[in-house]
Amino acid sequence: MQIDRIFDALASRPRRQILAYLSKTELTTAELAERFSMTAPSMSRHLSVLENAGLVTSERRGVLYRLTADNLVNTLTGFAFEICPVAGPLKRQSRALAKRRRATE
């Protein structure tokens, strides 16, 4: 059942933090793994869970991950990020990375 996959995905703190990073920019597996001091294979497993839950999508252009914008859960997660003390700094880092990426394009 899809809702079970969503709740399983959101049960993990690193996956909730990944969603916060992806809230403002697309990132590769390696870029996300760097932020968590995690190996790329470990990060790939987290991203696979998020993708199977329909919370993120990937693109084969260097395998970029992004939030699935029209997902109700992401809307609710966005609301939770606003009141979560941990999400603020992650979102600021994500915005800064997006700005740097746009400047180099």
Side-chain angles (χ1 to χ4, degrees), residues 38-59:
M38 190 181 292
T39 65
S42 294
M43 180 56 67
S44 289
R45 284 191 291 280
H46 283 293
L47 290 166
S48 178
V49 170
L50 291 168
E51 194 165 20
N52 288 333
L55 299 174
V56 301
T57 57
S58 63
E59 183 180 309

Side-chain angles (χ1 to χ4, degrees), residues 28-46:
T28 66
T29 303
E31 290 170 327
L32 285 163
E34 285 174 12
R35 285 159 177 71
F36 289 89
S37 300
M38 190 181 292
T39 65
S42 294
M43 180 56 67
S44 289
R45 284 191 291 280
H46 283 293

Side-chain angles (χ1 to χ4, degrees), residues 85-99:
V86 174
L90 299 178
K91 286 174 72 174
R92 279 191 293 282
Q93 286 179 2
S94 182
R95 273 192 295 272
L97 182 61
K99 188 182 284 186

Side-chain angles (χ1 to χ4, degrees), residues 13-90:
R13 182 181 179 139
R15 288 193 286 265
R16 290 189 307 270
Q17 291 174 327
I18 290 167
L19 292 174
Y21 273 118
L22 294 175
S23 68
K24 299 297 177 193
T25 191
E26 303 170 332
L27 295 167
T28 66
T29 303
E31 290 170 327
L32 285 163
E34 285 174 12
R35 285 159 177 71
F36 289 89
S37 300
M38 190 181 292
T39 65
S42 294
M43 180 56 67
S44 289
R45 284 191 291 280
H46 283 293
L47 290 166
S48 178
V49 170
L50 291 168
E51 194 165 20
N52 288 333
L55 299 174
V56 301
T57 57
S58 63
E59 183 180 309
R60 293 289 168 211
R61 181 178 49 110
V63 191
L64 286 171
Y65 286 85
R66 73 177 62 83
L67 285 183
T68 304
D70 59 348
N71 189 314
L72 174 62
V73 173
N74 284 330
T75 303
L76 295 173
T77 302
F79 171 74
F81 287 157
E82 295 304 317
I83 59 173
C84 174
V86 174
L90 299 178

